[in-house]
């Protein structure tokens, strides 16, 4: 069964450092998403991406965040200067079906900012 | 803004008891999806409901979508320890940006063996 893969599974970084989280969505999907989840809390939408551009972003997704699809397979989330409150699990997801169907989630990248 | 409220936030049951979680949207939805997240895991899609009044079953799980397409429920009959996790509902708005999925806060289910 096709799956969304994410790397790294866990990253520890110092406050102020840049972090790049990587995702490989399912190959025939066209809509890509990043979500984050602080431990034990809700799933929070960060950004959606379609046709090589951001289609929607939340208020969490400020200037410190950016996304890119550099090579047609990877979908990356960059945090330019990490803050303590960026510590969370970051989930990548993708979907086909016009963007309103089932979301397939990766297993997540746990980011710990010290 | 558009919101999806989900209750209860937590539920603790004895194995074999039933469990229900409810979702209410502030606006009409075009569809509603349910996801399950096991402890330490990622959300996994369970089902999507599209039609007004729709009811779907998956073994011991029964999903309903309200007639007004603003509420939904997930009912688990005779819970098992494998049902432990957080259940999220998420809906697409019926107007405007209907690709935006609006998530509930989730209901965490604990099952005592």
């Amino acid at each position: 069964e096709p799956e969304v893969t994410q790397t790294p599974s866990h990253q520890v970084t110092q406050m102020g450092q840049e972090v790049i989280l990587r995702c490989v969505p399912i190959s025939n999907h066209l809509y890509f998403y990043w979500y984050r989840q602080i431990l034990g809390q809700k799933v929070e939408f960060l950004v959606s991406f379609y046709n090589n551009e951001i289609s929607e972003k939340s208020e969490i997704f400020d200037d410190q965040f950016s996304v890119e699809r550099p090579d047609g397979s990877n979908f990356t989330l960059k945090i330019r200067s990490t803050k303590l409150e960026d510590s969370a699990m970051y989930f990548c997801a993708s979907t086909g079906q016009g963007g309103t169907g089932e979301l397939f989630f990766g297993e997540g990248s746990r980011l710990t900012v010290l | 803004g558009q919101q999806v409220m989900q209750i209860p936030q937590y539920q603790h049951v004895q194995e074999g008891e039933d469990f229900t979680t409810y979702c209410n949207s502030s606006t009409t939805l075009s569809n509603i999806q349910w996801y399950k997240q096991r402890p330490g895991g990622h959300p996994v899609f369970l089902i999507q409901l599209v039609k007004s009044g729709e009811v779907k079953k998956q073994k011991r799980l029964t999903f309903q979508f309200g007639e007004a397409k603003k509420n939904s429920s997930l009912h688990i009959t005779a819970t098992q320890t494998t049902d432990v996790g957080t259940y999220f509902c998420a809906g697409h708005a019926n107007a405007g940006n209907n690709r935006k999925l609006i998530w509930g806060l989730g209901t965490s289910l604990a099952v005592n063996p």
Side-chain angles (χ1 to χ4, degrees):
Chain A
E1 185 175 320
E3 58 181 19
V4 175
T5 57
Q6 288 186 242
T7 55
S9 56
H10 190 190
Q11 176 140 8
V12 181
T13 190
Q14 294 290 324
M15 191 169 56
Q17 295 296 304
E18 176 182 284
V19 160
I20 297 176
L21 305 178
R22 292 182 167 78
C23 169
V24 179
I26 293 172
S27 61
N28 62 346
H29 284 180
L30 299 177
Y31 301 86
F32 314 119
Y33 307 82
W34 282 101
Y35 287 86
R36 81 171 184 191
Q37 186 177 39
I38 294 169
L39 186 63
Q41 297 187 25
K42 63 181 178 180
V43 176
E44 296 180 294
F45 169 77
L46 292 178
V47 66
S48 59
F49 193 86
Y50 169 72
N51 202 24
N52 284 320
E53 61 183 20
I54 290 173
S55 49
E56 180 109 24
K57 60 183 180 179
S58 72
E59 57 193 26
I60 302 169
F61 194 89
D62 61 22
D63 291 345
Q64 293 300 311
F65 290 88
S66 62
V67 289
E68 202 175 34
R69 189 158 159 81
D71 57 11
S73 63
N74 288 284
F75 178 51
T76 62
L77 174 69
K78 182 193 289 187
I79 309 174
R80 263 181 268 283
S81 177
T82 49
K83 304 188 282 282
L84 295 176
E85 54 264 38
D86 293 328
S87 295
M89 182 71 91
Y90 288 81
F91 290 109
C92 174
S94 69
T95 189
Q97 298 183 42
T100 59
E102 169 185 354
L103 281 183
F104 292 79
F105 283 83
E107 294 192 349
S109 293
R110 178 166 298 286
L111 175 64
T112 302
V113 182
L114 302 176
Chain B
Q2 295 163 326
Q3 291 185 20
V4 171
M5 309 299 292
Q6 195 173 349
I7 56 169
Q9 190 175 358
Y10 303 100
Q11 184 89 52
H12 209 138
V13 300
Q14 287 294 127
E15 190 171 24
E17 291 181 340
D18 292 357
F19 160 77
T20 305
T21 171
Y22 301 90
C23 247
N24 286 289
S25 169
S26 58
T27 57
T28 305
L29 301 170
S30 61
N31 64 34
I32 194 146
Q33 300 175 353
W34 285 90
Y35 292 81
K36 177 184 178 181
Q37 185 177 26
R38 292 183 188 274
H42 59 281
V44 174
F45 176 83
L46 293 176
I47 208 159
Q48 176 167 285
L49 304 171
V50 178
K51 298 177 186 173
S52 169
E54 189 170 12
V55 178
K56 285 189 177 179
K57 291 193 174 187
Q58 289 178 351
K59 297 182 181 177
R60 293 178 296 102
L61 277 60
T62 302
F63 304 84
Q64 291 188 321
F65 198 12
E67 294 289 341
K69 300 182 75 172
K70 294 179 75 172
N71 56 66
S72 181
S73 65
L74 158 59
H75 179 82
I76 302 178
T77 304
T79 53
Q80 300 174 358
T81 54
T82 52
D83 295 325
V84 165
T86 301
Y87 293 85
F88 293 96
C89 63
H92 283 101
N94 201 31
N97 183 355
N98 64 359
R99 290 205 193 98
K100 182 177 178 180
L101 198 56
I102 308 160
W103 288 74
L105 296 182
T107 296
S108 293
L109 173 64
V111 179
N112 276 350

